[in-house]
Structure formats: C-alpha cells, structure tokens
Amino acid sequence: MPINPIEWENNRIKIIDQTQLPHKLKFLYLDSIEKVKDAICKMKVRGAPALGVAAAFGVVVGVQDSTSRDFNQFKREVEGVCRFLRSSRPTAVNLSWALDRMYRVVVNNAEFSLDKIKQKLAEEALCIMEEDRQCNRAIGEKGASLINDGDTVLTHCNAGVLATAGYGTALSIIYQAKNEGKKVKVYVDETRPLLQGSRLTCWELLREAIEVTLICDSVAGELMREGKINKVVVGADRVVANGDAANKIGTYSLSVLAKENKVAFYVACPLSTIDLSIASGDEIPIEIRSDEEVTTFCGRRCAPEGVDVYNPAFDITPSRYISAIITERGICRAPYEESLRIIFGG
Ligand code: MRU
C-alpha cells in the first residue's frame, strides 16, 4: 500500500509520526499551531518539502477559528501565525517559501470576506501539497535518465516519500528507475544522530522491494574506494544561487569522497527548495539541535555527563562537488548561477 505522509482530513493535518518509525506506523492529528510547531521541532514531520506542506496547513489550522472582525485584523493574525511557524526550523527554505505563499493569498484577496479568504487559504495549502507530489514525480522521471541498469546508488538521510507530500526527491529517482525496469541497489547511510537513513529510508525502500543495504555513515568512503558505488543521490534543504546545497549533516563529506573517487554526486530537489535570494551557501542558516540527540542512542545515554556537544543538523556542499541538480523542470549543471536562473525562466 502506498504511504501518505501528510494529509488534510476533517480540518486537521494528519501526519505519520516519523519518530515512531520503523517500530510503529502511528498517525497524529494536528489541530492547532502549537501542535504543528511541536511536530516540526520534534521531527514528527520532517524533510524540506513535507515541512512546507505542514506549514501551509498550519496557517489554515491557525486561522480557522479566527475571531478577527476586519481584514486588517485578520492579516495581522496571519502574520503572527506565520512568524510563529517560521521560527520552528531555519534551514529548509520550503517552510518559509510555503508561509510566504500563504501570506500572499491573504494580501491578494483583500476584497473578499474573511470566510472566503479562509477557504482560499485551504485551497492554497491543498495546491502546495498536490504540486509537491507532481514535482517529485517529475524529478523521478528526469533523474531516472541518470541511472543505469545495474547501478549501485548511495543515499543519505531520508529524501523519500516520508520527507515530502509523496514520491520523495532523491528516492523518487530510484523508484522511477525501478519502474523503468532498471535494477538498482541502494546503500543507505544510517545518518547519525537521528537515524533518518536506517529508520526511514530503509523502511521505505524495503516496502518498495528495492535491494537495500544499511551502512554506518563512516563506511561510505571505503565503499567508494572499493569502486562499489556508481552514484550518490541526496536531497536538499536549500539550494542557493551559486548551486551550493544545504542538506543533512554528513552530505558535504560524502560529496568530497565522491569527487575523490570519481563518483557522480547528484542533488535532487524541487524548485521550492531553491532560494535564489541567497548568493552562496555561507549565508544559509544552519540549525543547531540539542546535545541529547548526540549524547543518547536509542533512548540510552552514550556519552559522559558534562561533555560539550556540537550538533549541527545540516552542512553545506559547495557546488563544485555537485555533478548535477535534478529538478522537476530539468537537470541543472555547472555553472549553476546560469543553469538555475534559466530553470526559473530568468
Ligand atoms: O532534519 P531532517 O530529517 O528534516 O533533514 C532532512 C534532509 O536533510 C533531507 O535530505 C532534505 O530535507 C530533503 S527531503 C526531500
């Protein structure tokens, strides 16, 4: 059965609680902005495109019981909801991209009744969700052309169905290659500290009957040196104008290893993950998460009390290490300033 990571059901957001996987497939219903923010911060819903969809529905949830009496009051209320949700996770640009899009619905419909604007907000959130599914499907179709029959692909974190409204980004390419009859084997980095690779990507790939092997993050380099990896395919949380890409911590190291070992390194993402307002990766805000994620393992302490911890959730892969960026509109290659601008129609 296909998995539906995020849905809009009876005026509530229905998500899979990703912190429970792979043990339990448990659904959560979010009917307040506090619950939406909590689910985002605790990574019950995660992955850049899924964060955008959750934030969009968060706005709908946030204003559905609004007591605003006029347009200006309602607009200020929406601004407050957007500010509240925007502060939940800083790196994935899809979150603020979706909130900006929701806010524009309000501003552009000032002549309508508040009930009508609320209805338009719900329609916009549904549209963001549906568009994400279509984009990811197209990423799969475009990206599968880069995968050969018999390839062994390495991926990091989870850029699959669970990280999106459907299909995934990096994994959409694997799914499509399989649909086209190509035999693909996938190595999955476990992705310390929160194990999105082992808990989520392996779970997803096994459900789709893809041949998958789980490795510790530190195994990737040796596999590449032995010539066992043909391609690396990862997702992104934000790609900027010069092609630098923020993605789960550990991605940068993989890209350097790929270059050293002459392995193609692909980033797959929808245009909603591309932020042309930022010139280079140095300007991308990197989320620093709690010490406990590193000092504990599967709920048990694995480091001495009092030790200093540094736990950035993401890193920056400079574009010189990226062989191509695969989007729903096509495949971009260096120089990225130019190819990304063209893909946006500029
Ligand atoms: O911290 P997470 O689990 O939200 O990080 C997710 C990633 O790094 C993904 O690779 C990225 O968001 C792309 S998801 C299609």
Side-chain angles (χ1 to χ4, degrees):
M1 235 207 359
I3 25 171
N4 221 342
I6 183 158
E7 286 170 276
W8 180 239
E9 205 178 276
N10 299 329
N11 296 329
R12 296 177 304 173
I13 311 170
K14 181 182 177 190
I15 58 161
I16 294 177
D17 181 351
Q18 299 194 28
T19 61
Q20 300 294 312
L21 287 171
H23 311 294
K24 267 189 255 166
L25 181 56
K26 186 179 157 204
F27 294 94
L28 288 179
Y29 294 87
L30 313 174
D31 56 6
S32 70
I33 52 169
E34 289 74 22
K35 285 186 192 164
V36 175
K37 184 168 178 174
D38 181 73
I40 291 174
C41 292
K42 297 200 175 128
M43 300 194 26
K44 294 172 183 179
V45 56
R46 47 144 300 281
L51 292 177
V53 177
F57 282 118
V59 174
V60 181
V61 157
V63 296
Q64 62 192 1
D65 296 323
S66 161
T67 52
S68 291
R69 281 185 302 276
D70 59 40
F71 177 78
N72 284 331
Q73 199 183 355
F74 184 73
K75 185 160 75 97
R76 279 197 300 278
E77 196 181 344
V78 174
E79 280 164 3
V81 168
C82 289
R83 208 175 312 116
F84 180 75
L85 293 173
R86 203 180 293 269
S87 64
S88 45
R89 293 192 77 192
T91 305
V93 74
N94 300 65
L95 197 144
S96 47
W97 168 87
L99 292 172
D100 290 344
R101 205 167 138 172
M102 296 299 280
Y103 183 64
R104 277 200 301 277
V105 169
V106 176
V107 176
N108 293 340
N109 288 289
E111 73 274 26
F112 290 105
S113 69
L114 298 187
D115 278 346
K116 185 76 188 165
I117 299 175
K118 283 193 219 167
Q119 186 193 326
K120 283 180 180 288
L121 283 170
E123 285 164 8
E124 187 72 356
L126 285 167
C127 182
I128 288 173
M129 181 166 72
E130 187 46 40
E131 272 177 30
D132 187 58
R133 291 189 181 129
Q134 284 170 15
C135 290
N136 297 333
R137 205 172 189 151
I139 288 171
E141 281 159 11
K142 301 271 186 312
S145 64
L146 300 169
I147 306 293
N148 298 321
D149 187 24
D151 267 355
T152 298
V153 173
L154 174 73
T155 193
H156 190 65
C157 193
N158 173 263
V161 175
L162 290 165
T164 63
Y167 301 104
T169 57
L171 297 195
S172 177
I173 293 169
I174 311 281
Y175 296 141
Q176 179 59 25
K178 183 186 171 225
N179 288 344
E180 292 173 7
K182 295 172 188 168
K183 194 167 161 26
V184 184
K185 180 178 158 64
V186 184
Y187 278 99
V188 176
D189 280 351
E190 65 175 350
T191 318
R192 270 290 281 158
L194 294 181
L195 308 179
Q196 291 94 327
S198 58
R199 292 188 304 104
L200 309 177
T201 299
C202 292
W203 182 79
E204 247 195 80
L205 291 174
L206 287 174
R207 278 176 67 104
E208 295 297 325
I210 307 265
E211 193 182 336
V212 50
T213 304
L214 171 65
I215 54 171
C216 295
D217 297 345
S218 46
V219 174
E222 178 57 17
L223 277 178
M224 286 193 224
R225 195 193 63 78
E226 291 169 10
K228 291 186 176 149
I229 305 291
N230 304 106
K231 274 130 205 173
V232 179
V233 187
V234 296
D237 284 79
R238 190 182 306 222
V239 170
V240 296
N242 71 349
D244 291 354
N247 192 48
K248 179 53 55 195
I249 191 75
T251 304
Y252 167 52
S253 321
L254 278 184
S255 74
V256 177
L257 288 166
K259 182 108 178 168
E260 165 69 16
N261 290 286
K262 299 185 176 51
V263 174
F265 183 93
Y266 297 123
V267 171
C269 69
L271 296 195
S272 54
T273 301
I274 301 178
D275 179 3
L276 296 185
S277 76
I278 286 187
S280 97
D282 296 338
E283 297 163 55
I284 301 176
I286 298 289
E287 177 184 4
I288 307 296
R289 292 188 59 89
S290 74
D291 295 4
E292 289 69 45
E293 290 180 354
V294 181
T295 56
T296 58
F297 188 80
C298 297
R300 278 193 67 183
R301 189 144 186 115
C302 61
E305 294 290 345
V307 69
D308 275 344
V309 174
Y310 178 51
N311 183 22
F314 302 98
D315 59 24
I316 306 296
T317 298
S319 60
R320 64 180 178 279
Y321 294 116
I322 301 175
S323 313
I325 299 172
I326 304 152
T327 76
E328 66 272 29
R329 289 215 193 130
I331 298 174
C332 299
R333 293 191 188 265
Y336 290 106
E337 274 93 352
E338 204 180 311
S339 58
L340 290 175
R341 200 168 17 84
I342 290 170
I343 213 96
F344 273 91

